[in-house]
Amino acid sequence: MRKAVFIALMMAGLVGCTREQRSPDAIRNDTAHATAGAVRDGKAVVEGVFDGLRQKGPVNINKASSDDLERLPGVTPEIADRIIAGRPYQNGADLYHRRIVSKAEYNQIADKIEAR
């Protein structure tokens, strides 16, 4: 968020330091666009932080919904459906051993899943 605000201030400063004569309306318009971009970027950062806080601990692959599974890195809707169809699991490594996911896919999620 600080980065977005910094960029907006830098853009506003650069607009004010140009030699070109610009109308106040054009300057306000450029500033409004820069501010809107900073706000959009700030909201994206906040959403990412909240998403990170919402996920408390590993995802239980025996009970997680498709949406919960898709929040794991590299898990597509198709992979989530395969995980759900293959339940129950004794441990997370079953996903790889039973060929539900590839070794590379399993390595991405191994520390973020559990089987209870």
Side-chain angles (χ1 to χ4, degrees):
M1 178 131 182
R2 289 181 183 178
K3 184 177 180 182
V5 171
F6 178 74
I7 291 171
L9 290 174
M10 290 297 295
M11 289 181 66
L14 290 174
V15 169
C17 294
T18 61
R19 294 184 186 139
E20 160 187 341
Q21 294 296 329
R22 299 185 56 196
S23 72
D25 288 336
I27 294 170
R28 276 192 290 275
N29 189 28
D30 289 346
T31 304
H33 286 295
T35 303
V39 168
R40 183 185 62 244
D41 294 344
K43 285 181 181 178
V45 169
V46 170
E47 284 180 28
V49 169
F50 280 131
D51 284 346
L53 292 174
R54 274 188 222 121
Q55 188 153 345
K56 299 176 182 174
V59 173
N60 182 353
I61 57 175
N62 283 323
K63 296 184 180 178
S65 69
S66 180
D67 288 337
D68 290 337
L69 292 169
E70 288 174 35
R71 287 190 187 104
L72 294 168
V75 176
T76 64
E78 293 79 20
I79 293 172
D81 290 342
R82 288 196 314 256
I83 292 171
I84 291 170
R87 289 176 177 166
Y89 302 100
Q90 296 297 317
N91 56 53
D94 279 352
L95 292 176
Y96 171 67
H97 294 300
R98 292 169 48 187
R99 298 188 176 149
I100 306 293
V101 297
S102 69
K103 181 68 172 170
E105 291 165 337
Y106 175 73
N107 288 339
Q108 285 185 319
I109 63 172
D111 61 338
K112 295 170 181 60
I113 61 171
E114 66 182 5
R116 286 188 272 146

